[in-house]
Amino acid sequence: MRKFKEYIIEKLILASGLASIFFVIVIFLFLLKEGLAVFKIVTPANFLFGKNWYPISEPPQLGIFPLILGSLLVTLGAAIISVPIGIACAVYIAEVAPVRTKEILKASIELLAAIPSVVLGFIGMVTLVPWVKSIFKLPTGLTALSGSIMLAFMAMPTIVSIAEDALYSVPRSHKEGALALGATHWQTIYRVLLPAASSGILAAVMLGIGRVIGETMAVMMITGNAALMPHSFLQPVRTLTATIAAEMGEAVVGSEHYFALFAIGIVLFVISFAINITADLFLHRKR
Amino acid sequence: MDEVVKMKAENVNFFYGKTQALKDISLDIHAHSVTAIIGPSGCGKSTFIRLLNRMNDLIPHTQLIGRVYLDCQDVFSHAADPVELRRRVGMVFQKPNPFPKSIFENIAYGLHVNNIKDKDFVETRVIESLKKAALWEEVRHRLHESALKLSGGQQQRLCIARCLAVSPEVILFDEPCASLDPISTAKIEELILELKKEYTIVIVTHNMQQAARVADYTAFFLLGELIEFNKTQELFTAPKDKKTEAYITGRFG
């Protein structure tokens, strides 16, 4: 009887494990089935590197290069802002802050992660966008820069908490060894702790970037959504995610437009997958 | 053996929160000699040695009452700089703790943090330190391999070389052989006897034979108190305190 119970429980756990893998595979297959149909109309090269995205003109022009660049530009901007601040914040929490400050900071960063992206987007729209507009004297504040700043806020909690864990898991003996040699606190952080935690910190950065590139709502609200080739941070851009979210509702099921949106989904899937794999590699490199 | 007092603890009391770990310890550490601190676990010997280079500063909620002097200067005074102190008073830890870098970089690290950048000088000093730590012959052809590939005993000698490279005046050994086999232990002991010619050495050990073999002076700690402090020979052959006698004859601890 007891054996039978064990057996049932084991199989149930196995089934739940398999289910998650099964769903991922089914989702991917569905994406492929719907998305690959677009390549009957455009070649993969024209799809990826075409400069015009006019999905409902006749005939439709389905080049997603401006969208890819839009996503990359916004992500790059967000990374430039959030990575240094995030790592510095992690160092402060892990190494410098007194116990009370540390607790308060950690709690507030977790709180930042809990804000729904649509709320962040909304706040960005009414505060950040007018600032960007008046500071740079632009016709509109809905730009890649605004999106980057907003997304930096969303990447920060991931980067800070994972980088802080990485710093925290550096053995205390490393730190003591450095200090015993007469290293200052900063020399210890810079020359011993950061290098020893580097793989974890890189993983933190990759996961933060992964979060940014998949983000939809906030970018849709504040990047202006113009599917044009971006030339600078001060222009409206449109990202891959925002395109799908904005257009899926109006695309006719079975049309070229509909297939193209699924193909964008495949591109996003591949990008996120690559980023997660890279992050995993970094995490597991640390013995 | 030298009668000059290099470091001096004067009425030292130390607290972790409300727990008193050291009770009114006064102890002279003589220059160019080996001073061993023995006692059962939890007697405060590690706490004491970590005061000598202010390593306990890292632990929150601790309190010190009393004074510690290095060459007659109070190392806990407001003017004293713990970084400067640690450059003069080096430390080798219980578990070998090489940095996850190459053998060469491990030893050069201490020079880099002291802003010594001259490449030739660094190289000479690295080789010199490895020779002094009796490790040179074993690693001369693999200076740029990871230090983590060395055996435990070699890693500990590397940590000693790393410490020597910054030319300290005093070297603190906190149970340096606790995680080593007897052969590595013998090598480290031999090394300590060699090093005392140039440096002042303090060693914490729970191994009484080790204290008897290497130390000129021995202090016996029990429950945070200094029970007896004397020349090693006298402490082991004619202990003045009953508790010391009980401990060294193996009746407890």
Side-chain angles (χ1 to χ4, degrees):
Chain A
M1 186 60 206
R2 206 168 47 195
K3 263 193 174 163
F4 180 68
K5 220 168 139 187
E6 287 285 310
Y7 177 82
I8 294 287
I9 290 173
E10 265 178 33
K11 292 301 167 209
L12 273 175
I13 295 171
L14 177 71
S16 345
L18 287 179
S20 60
I21 300 172
F22 174 76
F23 287 129
V24 171
I25 293 174
V26 168
I27 289 171
F28 188 60
L29 286 180
F30 184 73
L31 261 182
L32 280 183
K33 173 179 159 286
E34 298 286 10
L36 289 182
V38 80
F39 298 123
K40 287 179 202 150
I41 313 153
V42 290
T43 63
N46 281 342
F47 179 69
L48 287 175
F49 301 110
K51 288 183 184 160
N52 296 309
W53 174 255
Y54 298 120
I56 42 179
S57 65
E58 200 52 55
Q61 296 195 20
L62 301 171
I64 63 165
F65 200 50
L67 312 180
I68 293 179
L69 283 186
S71 274
L72 291 182
L73 194 65
V74 172
T75 306
L76 177 74
I80 290 173
I81 300 167
S82 63
V83 168
I85 300 179
I87 293 176
C89 185
V91 168
Y92 181 72
I93 292 178
E95 273 303 309
V96 187
V99 181
R100 269 192 68 94
T101 321
K102 183 187 289 192
E103 295 304 320
I104 296 170
L105 261 178
K106 280 178 83 161
S108 38
I109 281 162
E110 272 157 33
L111 202 65
L112 186 59
I115 301 174
S117 70
V118 65
V119 174
L120 266 182
F122 181 64
I123 296 171
M125 212 156 96
V126 296
T127 57
L128 183 65
V129 168
W131 284 340
V132 170
K133 181 178 170 179
S134 62
I135 290 170
F136 295 99
K137 304 200 167 41
L138 300 171
T140 170
L142 298 165
T143 60
L145 179 68
S146 324
S148 293
I149 296 173
M150 220 58 239
L151 286 181
F153 279 105
M154 309 193 61
M156 210 91 86
T158 314
I159 295 179
V160 173
S161 52
I162 297 177
E164 193 231 324
D165 275 351
L167 283 168
Y168 204 73
S169 62
V170 175
R172 212 177 66 156
S173 62
H174 283 11
K175 184 179 167 186
E176 290 189 338
L179 289 172
L181 288 171
T184 62
H185 195 177
W186 168 242
Q187 283 171 329
T188 307
I189 291 170
Y190 181 68
R191 286 173 170 275
V192 175
L193 295 182
L194 284 178
S198 61
S199 55
I201 291 174
L202 274 170
V205 169
M206 296 310 288
L207 290 174
I209 290 177
R211 168 113 209 252
V212 165
I213 212 159
E215 171 51 36
T216 310
M217 212 52 222
V219 281
M220 194 157 91
M221 292 167 80
I222 56 179
T223 53
N225 288 322
L228 303 168
M229 289 294 284
H231 298 291
S232 84
F233 274 109
L234 300 176
Q235 268 185 344
V237 294
R238 163 178 270 196
T239 63
L240 294 166
T241 48
T243 309
I244 300 179
E247 297 179 9
M248 197 47 107
E250 54 204 50
V252 180
V253 177
S255 67
E256 292 98 338
H257 187 191
Y258 174 86
F259 292 135
L261 292 179
F262 271 99
I264 294 177
I266 297 176
V267 173
L268 265 175
F269 187 93
V270 170
I271 296 176
S272 311
F273 191 67
I275 289 174
N276 277 331
I277 292 276
T278 323
D280 247 26
L281 284 180
F282 282 129
L283 270 182
H284 288 126
R285 206 180 55 180
K286 82 177 176 188
R287 276 171 290 124
Chain B
M1 219 186 297
D2 205 322
E3 292 306 315
V4 178
V5 174
K6 182 72 183 170
M7 291 193 85
K8 184 183 184 74
E10 212 175 73
N11 305 107
V12 166
N13 292 272
F14 191 77
F15 300 84
Y16 293 109
K18 288 193 176 117
T19 324
Q20 186 162 9
L22 294 175
K23 294 174 190 158
D24 206 31
I25 308 261
S26 295
L27 185 67
D28 288 353
I29 291 159
H30 297 267
H32 301 291
S33 66
V34 178
T35 305
I37 300 173
I38 59 169
S41 304
C43 68
K45 54 192 194 301
S46 278
T47 303
F48 178 75
I49 202 175
R50 289 165 63 92
L51 276 177
L52 300 180
N53 68 342
R54 292 184 63 172
M55 225 46 196
N56 286 339
D57 287 16
L58 305 181
I59 305 167
H61 311 301
T62 56
Q63 197 200 349
L64 170 81
I65 303 169
R67 291 185 195 286
V68 177
Y69 298 96
L70 170 63
D71 289 338
C72 302
Q73 284 168 319
D74 183 354
V75 303
F76 282 95
S77 74
H78 284 294
D81 174 12
V83 171
E84 179 59 32
L85 171 71
R86 292 181 195 131
R87 282 175 190 177
R88 294 175 61 190
V89 182
M91 186 166 214
V92 175
F93 296 82
Q94 186 167 347
K95 248 184 82 192
N97 58 348
F99 303 127
K101 300 172 184 243
S102 75
I103 294 170
F104 185 93
E105 283 167 27
N106 257 282
I107 300 174
Y109 178 86
L111 301 171
H112 288 311
V113 300
N114 284 296
N115 287 321
I116 297 169
K117 297 217 171 81
D118 181 353
K119 268 194 176 167
D120 291 335
F121 180 82
V122 170
E123 206 172 314
T124 334
R125 184 60 78 77
V126 167
I127 294 171
E128 204 179 279
S129 311
L130 280 170
K131 280 182 179 159
K132 274 193 197 167
L135 190 61
W136 172 244
E137 289 305 324
E138 291 159 60
V139 301
R140 57 187 303 177
H141 299 301
R142 45 199 278 219
L143 287 179
H144 296 284
E145 280 178 31
S146 166
L148 301 176
K149 285 189 191 160
L150 298 173
S151 73
Q154 289 173 327
Q155 288 190 4
Q156 194 61 301
R157 275 179 283 147
L158 178 70
C159 292
I160 295 174
R162 184 173 74 182
C163 175
L164 297 178
V166 292
S167 314
E169 298 159 36
V170 181
I171 305 177
L172 310 173
F173 288 87
D174 187 359
E175 300 195 28
C177 304
S179 59
L180 303 183
D181 62 82
I183 294 172
S184 305
T185 302
K187 279 187 186 163
I188 304 265
E189 287 179 6
E190 209 178 297
L191 188 54
I192 289 174
L193 289 174
E194 190 59 36
L195 291 174
K196 79 168 180 180
K197 293 173 191 158
E198 276 182 74
Y199 309 91
T200 301
I201 288 171
V202 184
I203 177 171
V204 161
T205 176
H206 55 230
N207 177 339
M208 281 176 284
Q209 285 74 34
Q210 184 167 61
R213 283 192 298 263
V214 301
D216 302 303
Y217 295 91
T218 300
F220 172 54
F221 277 46
L222 186 65
L223 300 172
E225 285 179 82
L226 174 61
I227 304 295
E228 189 165 346
F229 175 53
N230 210 335
K231 293 199 167 150
T232 302
Q233 184 124 33
E234 284 168 39
L235 187 125
F236 278 99
T237 52
K240 292 195 180 72
D241 195 292
K242 282 238 157 61
K243 289 179 228 162
T244 316
E245 193 184 341
Y247 184 69
I248 60 176
T249 52
R251 260 184 277 154
F252 70 88

